[in-house]
Structures are given as C-alpha cells and as structure tokens.
Amino acid sequence: MSAHFLGVDLGSTTAKVVVLNADGGIEAAEVVQMGAVSRTGCARAMEAALNAAGLGQGDVTASIATGYGRRLVPDIDRTFTEITCHGRGAAAMCPGTRLVVDIGGQDSKAIAVDDDGIVADFAMNDRCASGTGRFFEVLARAIECGIDELADLALRGEKELEVSSMCATFAETELISMLAQGEEREDIAASVHRAVATRTLGLVAQVGRRSPVVMTGGVARNAAAVHFLAEAFGAEITVPESPQIVGAYGAALLAREGAGPVARGAGETTTDAREPARSCSTCDLPLTIGGSR
C-alpha cells in the first residue's frame, strides 16, 4: 500500500491542507477561506484535499497539524508550531532560503533557517494586528476598495504620507481623516504599505538580516506588500508559487520524515501550547481577535 502524508495549517482566517505521496510530491493542496478559526472550514479543506488525491482519511500514513487553530484539527498524529513548519516548507520550496517572513491574518514572523530548514532563531508578533492581513483589511475598508484591488492601488501611489498610527484599532480613523483632507487613495495605500514594510524590518532585526529571503502567508499574495518590503530590505524577496500552503507543506514533509529533530530556537512542540511572543513591534497592549483592546 502506498504511503500518504497529510499536513494541515489551520490559521486565523484560512485552512490549508497538503497531501504528499511517498516520494514527497504534492498530490493535492487546498486553501479554504473561513473568516475565523473554524472546525467546519478545516473539515472542508481536509475533505477537499483528500478527495482531490483520491484518498480517504484511513489512507493517511501520518499527519501533522500546525497554525493558530491546530488544537482544533481532528484525527491528527502530532502538532507543531508555525515557526517550525514554515521554516521547513520554505526551505523545501525555495532551496537556499535563510530568512522567512511569514505574514498571516493575525500575526507576523521572521524566521532564520539553515540549509535543512531547521530554525536557528525567530521573532514573532502575535499581540497586535499591525502589518497583518487584518490590518490590510482595515486599509481596504477605509479607502473603500476591494482587498484584491489594494495592491494595484498602492503601486500607483507617488506621494509619501506620514502614517502615525499602525494600530488596527485606531488606523481606520486616521486614514479616513486623510481622505477628508483630500489625499489620494493611491497615496494613502502606498504610504501604509511602506509603513508596514518598515515595521516588518523591525521584526527582522531581532533575528538578523540574511538572504535569500522568502515571504510566505496570505499577505505574500499582495504584490505591493512584497514590493515595498523588498524596497525597504534592499534585497529581492522570493514568493513561492503558492505562499499560503507553505506551512501545511512543511507539516506534511515533517510527517513524511517522521518528525525528527527539526528545530532549535522555535520551540517544536507536540502539545497545544502557543509560542510566546518575544515582542510586539507596535505597542505593549494585547489585541484580541475581535480587534478591541
């Protein structure tokens, strides 16, 4: 009987599932938008991936879950941190990777890795939505554009405006005020993207700048976010073909490899504990998932 390996990354807004064959090739990959951490969304993604691979749950040899909601994933053998799985997945997708910048719906991470994708160091901001997917949703709402239009709008901006608030709770008021003062939507969008890139560099500074750099997570699909981060970093940023599935891919690889020694600094775990945030790059106040302090 052929072996099959399952990796599940249950994030704050999306569920990602990857199925690998015995040779490590991807048999199926699914991304399901949920809106919030959801067992239902996770089940849909798992079912879709297994169906696409022509498999049932009983055909899975080994499985690993990761992500914000990994404790909610049913019928999983082990759980690992996002740090470990994104490092492993990025190194496999983009050989030679030394730094992974992962920006998801509710948190952001800078992960330094070695040749094998083993984590050497990391910094994580999971206490504030600054610079995350949620923050870009606030921007899109404030300037009244679709989230899919945001990148094109920002890349057309020319004027650099001062964005004083990087807090998702208060930024919307400031952005609306800019519009009331006659500032162009393009310039506001570009300025916010620049400010996010600067904040992200603060996270990178905690692990040390290195290259090549790979960007993962849903925000990596935003061409403007990648452009302004590369500009601030002064180096090329590589984005995998499917940046959202990198964590799930890393989890599936670890399942295939028997989850051997995979991390030094990232706190590899088989429990449901979440990694402590070393710092918040914006402020010291915790931000709830609902967005209130």
Side-chain angles (χ1 to χ4, degrees):
M1 181 180 294
S2 297
H4 306 279
F5 305 94
L6 184 73
V8 181
D9 180 1
L10 183 55
S12 59
T13 58
T14 55
K16 290 80 63 175
V17 179
V18 170
V19 180
L20 301 183
N21 59 29
D23 296 323
I26 296 178
E27 293 189 302
E30 294 290 334
V31 178
V32 171
Q33 190 73 32
M34 302 179 298
V37 178
S38 163
R39 284 188 175 92
T40 302
C42 179
R44 282 169 48 209
M46 290 175 68
E47 182 180 7
L50 289 171
N51 285 342
L55 303 172
Q57 185 68 43
D59 298 316
V60 175
T61 306
S63 58
I64 285 177
T66 188
Y68 194 86
R70 60 183 175 270
R71 70 186 67 184
L72 302 177
V73 182
D75 304 318
I76 288 293
D77 296 321
R78 301 181 72 179
T79 61
F80 278 77
T81 69
E82 304 99 301
I83 304 296
T84 297
C85 293
H86 274 270
R88 181 67 185 89
M93 282 188 173
C94 305
T97 297
R98 285 295 176 274
L99 178 67
V100 180
V101 176
D102 172 53
I103 305 181
Q106 291 282 355
D107 61 26
S108 52
K109 316 171 193 68
I111 310 165
V113 298
D114 65 13
D115 279 336
D116 300 315
I118 296 177
V119 176
D121 197 6
F122 76 98
M124 181 175 182
N125 167 25
D126 68 348
R127 299 200 174 198
C128 178
S130 169
T132 66
R134 172 172 166 73
F135 189 81
F136 285 112
E137 289 174 1
V138 169
L139 168 61
R141 184 169 63 243
I143 62 178
E144 297 183 328
C145 78
I147 194 72
D148 294 335
E149 304 171 66
L150 201 54
D152 288 341
L153 205 64
L155 291 171
R156 295 201 301 269
E158 297 180 357
K159 183 179 179 182
E160 189 165 350
L161 305 172
E162 181 181 354
V163 181
S164 59
S165 177
M166 286 298 292
C167 174
T169 306
F170 304 119
E172 189 167 8
T173 300
E174 180 180 5
L175 301 181
I176 292 173
S177 176
M178 288 181 177
L179 286 171
Q181 294 166 19
E183 301 295 354
E184 298 293 333
R185 295 194 308 160
E186 291 85 350
D187 295 330
I188 295 173
S191 297
V192 169
H193 278 75
R194 287 192 190 95
V196 168
T198 299
R199 294 284 179 168
T200 303
L201 281 189
L203 203 60
V204 169
Q206 297 180 47
V207 302
R209 291 198 190 192
R210 16 190 129 196
S211 59
V213 186
V214 170
M215 188 171 176
T216 65
V219 174
R221 298 170 60 220
N222 178 332
V226 178
H227 167 78
F228 287 110
L229 181 58
E231 189 177 76
F233 202 92
E236 181 181 353
I237 305 290
T238 298
V239 177
E241 184 176 348
S242 301
Q244 286 181 287
I245 69 166
V246 172
Y249 179 54
L253 286 173
L254 291 173
R256 176 175 175 266
E257 294 159 3
V262 292
R264 296 191 192 94
E268 181 270 326
T269 179
T270 54
T271 74
D272 290 328
R274 185 158 174 78
E275 308 93 329
R278 292 189 180 180
S279 71
C280 174
S281 60
T282 304
C283 63
D284 295 326
L285 298 176
L287 183 72
T288 68
I289 290 179
S292 59
R293 290 181 184 277

